[in-house]
Amino acid sequence: MLIFPFFSGFSRVLALSVLLAFGAQAQADPLPSWNDGAAKQAIITFVNETTTRTSPSFVPPAERIATFDQDGTLWVEQPMYSQVMYILESVPRLVKAKPELAKVAPYSTVLEILRGERAAIAKLTLPDLEKLAMATLTGMSVDTFSAEAQKWLAAAKDPRWKKPYTELTYLPMQEVLKYLRANGYKTYIVTGGGQDFVRQYSEPVYGIPPEQVVGSAVGVKYGYTEDGKPFLTKEPKLLVNDNNAGKPEAIHLMIGRQPHIAFGNSTGDQQMLEYTKAGSGARLSLLVLHDDEKREYAYGPAQGLPDTKVGTFTQALYDEAKKQGWIVISMKNDWKNIFAFD
Amino acid sequence: MLIFPFFSGFSRVLALSVLLAFGAQAQADPLPSWNDGAAKQAIITFVNETTTRTSPSFVPPAERIATFDQDGTLWVEQPMYSQVMYILESVPRLVKAKPELAKVAPYSTVLEILRGERAAIAKLTLPDLEKLAMATLTGMSVDTFSAEAQKWLAAAKDPRWKKPYTELTYLPMQEVLKYLRANGYKTYIVTGGGQDFVRQYSEPVYGIPPEQVVGSAVGVKYGYTEDGKPFLTKEPKLLVNDNNAGKPEAIHLMIGRQPHIAFGNSTGDQQMLEYTKAGSGARLSLLVLHDDEKREYAYGPAQGLPDTKVGTFTQALYDEAKKQGWIVISMKNDWKNIFAFD
């Protein structure tokens, strides 16, 4: 009030507009796609408590780390992880280069699946999938891999929504990412999927730069082209297995700080959520429960939902969440909208 | 000019002060501890070219990655890397816990060295050092390691300057770190030293947060205390060897982007500097040459300096730098001051 007399007409209007704009922003709902409820309230309370300087749970900006599983937490993982689709759909390219593979399992099995014989998928064992992953994700330069993954991402479509996988992100989670970043949190993806694969789209899709993507990773080998130009080759050797206990281990390797808030949706995220809650001060762990058969999918044995073997959310994990004070997010009840295109 | 009449006295003064402050900032020397010369000019030209929107070499802010070797590039590495001092000075603690080690090499050799018998250092082989590193840096929880390293860092002193190692950083390089960050660059340490060790002080010493420290790393293993609290144990197994070709490999793993500017000082940095220059657009690689016997040290066989076996800068590396257009920084000629306490 004291300084107001110093302002003449135009400046006073400007000052008032600025004050009003700030006021409006502070009062706007940061999570408009969330229904009012315990989950939304827990997130907002956590952010307020950790970013208010006078709060006993205040967290200095440099320590504000938020980690998110990707498949099933930030985007759709059914009927199959998008990266597994990439691996399967890359097999024809392998077969084109080496036609003799067409008659050898597991390549021949994949060709059957791609021809529409979906039952053939049951023939693929975990070692088969690992073999296919190494064959399609390694043995080429980092740049060649990027170009191939980008080409696939631009063309591939989810079978149900007939949209690129990169459009099947959950709007409520996109709001959480933006809300946390607006409050000084550094947002990381911590995925069991391939680090190099997710880095291809994390920035345009989630606003998360490649250096904030932690994932499963093979080693790379430094070498030179014939004319002496350095390049990196993806080696068929797993260096980081970013699932289960591998998640906190990779968080230590890649970030070196314990997250203050973490989101997951399956047993593969359990250790990351435990590790997050084990830190001192305000910590929040959350699990997305896929219980919306109509708008998305309902699966995972928790609360009697079917086990699809993709993103398994067991009853034991549900019970642990309740016991440890993790927040279970019900897609059906907590999310007003699921996709931006709804 | 058009909007000026709208401002009354106070506001006009305010607007002018703001304009003047910005003007002054733009004209201030960002590298006052550097003498005018090719090295200083190359850094300033690089920053101007990559951050001016209309420049053909403009680099979008998200892609502005700068990497720095630590020992010998950001701080003193003679007569011995500080982390090797930490390893040696941790041996008495090991011996206290297991007295029988006092009579077994290489522990007995280290005790001789610490008693002042410096000649004993010649008895230590590389496998000895690796054994000592595993014994002193692993087999404990991440938190125990942090506490021990912090204690050592607070007490240990460099033998020549009688100051904590953390004060022996090069002022001209601190200016480069700040200058790059003020221009939107993300600054990373990429060190052959231990990632967990350097993360103990990177933030207070260089303003570089732990998640921007890339270093040699052992694996960690997730487990639980007896009362069920999760924790990570440092395992005696090297996961990332961040030297030579390991530097670009670790940059890919931890950052996923090719740096636009990189600083090193020894043959262990050669591949990082090659990799940086191999990117498209404006890229700058620089090498610090320790040629100042009086104010710091003069070593590395380049230009006939003595080979101390610590931070070796060979003549071949010097020749490659000249051939590839890397900038060689002469401590003697390019740096006006070396330390903040000078």
Side-chain angles (χ1 to χ4, degrees):
Chain A
M1 285 310 239
L2 256 175
I3 62 163
F4 250 60
F6 291 95
F7 285 82
S8 69
F10 178 83
S11 306
R12 197 179 301 151
V13 169
L14 188 74
L16 279 171
S17 316
V18 169
L19 287 171
L20 286 170
F22 270 92
Q25 198 181 8
Q27 279 158 33
D29 183 351
L31 302 173
S33 298
W34 290 69
N35 289 316
D36 290 329
K40 177 175 181 169
Q41 198 47 55
I43 297 167
I44 291 175
T45 301
F46 169 84
V47 168
N48 288 340
E49 283 182 354
T50 58
T51 61
T52 303
R53 199 160 275 280
T54 51
S55 153
S57 308
F58 178 73
V59 177
E63 290 169 24
R64 294 184 195 156
I65 301 289
T67 57
F68 294 80
D69 167 58
Q70 193 200 212
D71 295 299
T73 299
L74 293 179
W75 77 1
V76 174
E77 64 185 355
Q78 297 288 352
M80 189 52 75
Y81 303 117
S82 56
Q83 187 168 8
V84 174
M85 291 309 301
Y86 175 73
I87 291 168
L88 300 182
E89 294 182 8
S90 294
V91 166
R93 191 177 59 239
L94 288 187
V95 170
K96 205 174 164 191
K98 278 194 194 173
E100 65 274 24
L101 292 180
K103 287 175 186 163
V104 184
Y107 307 97
S108 54
T109 317
V110 175
L111 295 178
E112 284 177 51
I113 297 167
L114 296 178
R115 277 196 302 267
E117 297 167 42
R118 290 192 63 87
I121 215 159
K123 280 197 263 176
L124 284 183
T125 63
L126 200 60
D128 283 344
L129 259 181
E130 279 167 11
K131 189 174 182 178
L132 291 166
M134 288 303 167
T136 56
L137 305 176
T138 74
M140 77 259 312
S141 79
V142 158
D143 290 345
T144 300
F145 171 75
S146 292
E148 282 173 2
Q150 290 287 357
K151 207 160 77 180
W152 182 83
L153 284 162
K157 295 228 160 104
D158 169 86
R160 174 168 162 189
W161 283 278
K162 321 283 184 213
K163 285 179 186 293
Y165 292 99
T166 49
E167 288 183 27
L168 296 177
T169 67
Y170 305 133
L171 183 59
M173 294 305 292
Q174 291 276 15
E175 290 172 2
V176 170
L177 287 169
K178 287 193 186 107
Y179 177 46
L180 287 170
R181 287 197 291 261
N183 283 280
Y185 276 88
K186 233 177 184 173
T187 53
Y188 283 82
I189 289 174
V190 177
T191 175
Q195 185 168 280
D196 282 349
F197 188 73
V198 178
R199 280 174 170 173
Q200 300 303 320
Y201 54 81
S202 62
E203 197 149 37
V205 171
Y206 302 114
I208 295 179
E211 60 271 26
Q212 285 166 226
V213 174
V214 177
S216 296
V218 295
V220 292
K221 198 173 167 56
Y222 185 79
Y224 303 89
T225 60
E226 275 177 28
D227 55 343
K229 209 189 151 180
F231 72 104
L232 296 168
T233 304
K234 286 170 72 75
E235 296 275 283
K237 192 188 145 228
L238 194 64
L239 189 67
V240 175
N241 181 356
D242 198 23
N243 284 296
N244 303 100
K247 288 207 173 191
E249 291 164 5
I251 287 171
H252 178 74
L253 176 69
M254 304 279 294
I255 310 177
R257 301 195 201 252
Q258 222 157 332
H260 272 269
I261 180 167
F263 292 78
N265 80 300
S266 79
T267 47
D269 302 313
Q270 178 176 334
Q271 290 82 353
M272 174 171 77
L273 302 189
E274 288 169 357
Y275 181 61
T276 298
K277 282 291 275 189
S280 60
R283 309 273 169 169
L284 191 61
S285 290
L286 305 98
L287 274 165
V288 174
L289 177 67
H290 293 261
D291 58 356
D292 195 327
E293 203 179 1
K294 213 170 143 195
R295 295 188 301 170
E296 203 239 12
Y297 294 97
Y299 61 95
Q303 304 199 297
L305 299 173
D307 186 355
T308 57
K309 309 282 181 202
V310 172
T312 303
F313 189 154
T314 59
Q315 185 61 40
L317 180 63
Y318 187 90
D319 294 342
E320 197 195 338
K322 288 292 164 189
K323 196 174 135 200
Q324 306 281 342
W326 306 350
I327 303 295
V328 175
I329 300 164
S330 157
M331 290 184 81
K332 195 171 168 180
N333 302 317
D334 286 314
W335 289 358
K336 205 176 285 177
N337 303 297
I338 303 228
F339 302 108
F341 55 78
D342 271 348
Chain B
M1 286 312 235
L2 256 176
I3 63 163
F4 250 59
F6 290 96
F7 286 82
S8 69
F10 178 84
S11 307
R12 199 180 298 151
V13 169
L14 188 76
L16 279 171
S17 316
V18 168
L19 286 172
L20 286 171
F22 270 94
Q25 197 182 10
Q27 278 157 35
D29 184 349
L31 302 173
S33 298
W34 291 69
N35 289 314
D36 290 329
K40 177 174 181 168
Q41 198 48 58
I43 297 168
I44 292 175
T45 301
F46 169 83
V47 168
N48 288 341
E49 282 182 356
T50 58
T51 60
T52 304
R53 200 160 275 280
T54 51
S55 153
S57 308
F58 178 74
V59 176
E63 291 169 24
R64 293 184 196 158
I65 302 290
T67 57
F68 294 80
D69 169 58
Q70 193 199 209
D71 295 300
T73 299
L74 293 178
W75 77 0
V76 175
E77 64 185 354
Q78 297 289 350
M80 190 52 77
Y81 303 116
S82 55
Q83 187 166 8
V84 174
M85 290 308 301
Y86 175 73
I87 292 168
L88 300 183
E89 294 181 7
S90 295
V91 166
R93 193 177 56 239
L94 288 187
V95 171
K96 204 176 163 188
K98 279 193 192 174
E100 65 272 24
L101 292 180
K103 287 174 185 165
V104 185
Y107 306 97
S108 53
T109 317
V110 174
L111 296 177
E112 284 177 50
I113 298 167
L114 295 178
R115 278 196 302 267
E117 297 166 41
R118 290 193 62 85
I121 214 160
K123 281 197 262 175
L124 283 182
T125 62
L126 199 60
D128 283 343
L129 260 180
E130 280 166 11
K131 190 174 181 177
L132 291 166
M134 288 304 166
T136 55
L137 305 176
T138 74
M140 77 248 332
S141 78
V142 157
D143 290 346
T144 301
F145 172 75
S146 291
E148 284 173 0
Q150 291 287 356
K151 206 160 78 181
W152 183 83
L153 284 162
K157 294 227 162 107
D158 168 86
R160 175 168 161 189
W161 284 278
K162 321 282 184 214
K163 285 180 185 293
Y165 292 100
T166 48
E167 288 182 27
L168 295 178
T169 67
Y170 305 132
L171 182 60
M173 294 305 292
Q174 291 276 16
E175 290 171 2
V176 169
L177 287 170
K178 286 192 187 108
Y179 177 46
L180 287 170
R181 288 198 291 260
N183 282 281
Y185 276 87
K186 234 177 184 172
T187 52
Y188 283 83
I189 289 174
V190 178
T191 175
Q195 184 168 281
D196 282 348
F197 188 73
V198 177
R199 279 174 171 174
Q200 300 303 320
Y201 54 82
S202 62
E203 196 148 38
V205 172
Y206 303 114
I208 294 178
E211 62 269 26
Q212 285 164 227
V213 174
V214 177
S216 296
V218 296
V220 291
K221 197 171 168 60
Y222 185 79
Y224 304 89
T225 59
E226 275 176 26
D227 55 343
K229 210 189 151 180
F231 73 104
L232 296 168
T233 304
K234 287 170 71 76
E235 297 275 284
K237 193 189 144 226
L238 193 64
L239 189 67
V240 175
N241 181 355
D242 197 25
N243 283 296
N244 304 100
K247 288 208 172 193
E249 291 164 4
I251 287 171
H252 178 74
L253 176 69
M254 304 277 296
I255 312 177
R257 302 195 201 253
Q258 221 157 335
H260 272 268
I261 180 167
F263 292 77
N265 81 301
S266 79
T267 47
D269 302 312
Q270 177 176 335
Q271 290 81 354
M272 174 171 76
L273 302 189
E274 289 170 356
Y275 181 61
T276 298
K277 283 290 277 188
S280 60
R283 309 274 170 168
L284 191 60
S285 290
L286 305 97
L287 275 166
V288 175
L289 177 68
H290 293 260
D291 58 356
D292 195 328
E293 202 178 0
K294 214 171 142 194
R295 296 188 299 170
E296 203 240 11
Y297 293 98
Y299 60 95
Q303 304 198 297
L305 299 172
D307 186 356
T308 57
K309 308 283 180 201
V310 172
T312 304
F313 189 154
T314 59
Q315 185 62 39
L317 180 64
Y318 188 90
D319 294 343
E320 197 196 336
K322 289 292 165 189
K323 196 174 133 199
Q324 307 280 342
W326 306 349
I327 303 294
V328 175
I329 299 164
S330 158
M331 289 183 82
K332 195 172 170 178
N333 302 316
D334 286 314
W335 290 358
K336 205 176 285 175
N337 304 296
I338 303 227
F339 302 109
F341 55 79
D342 271 348

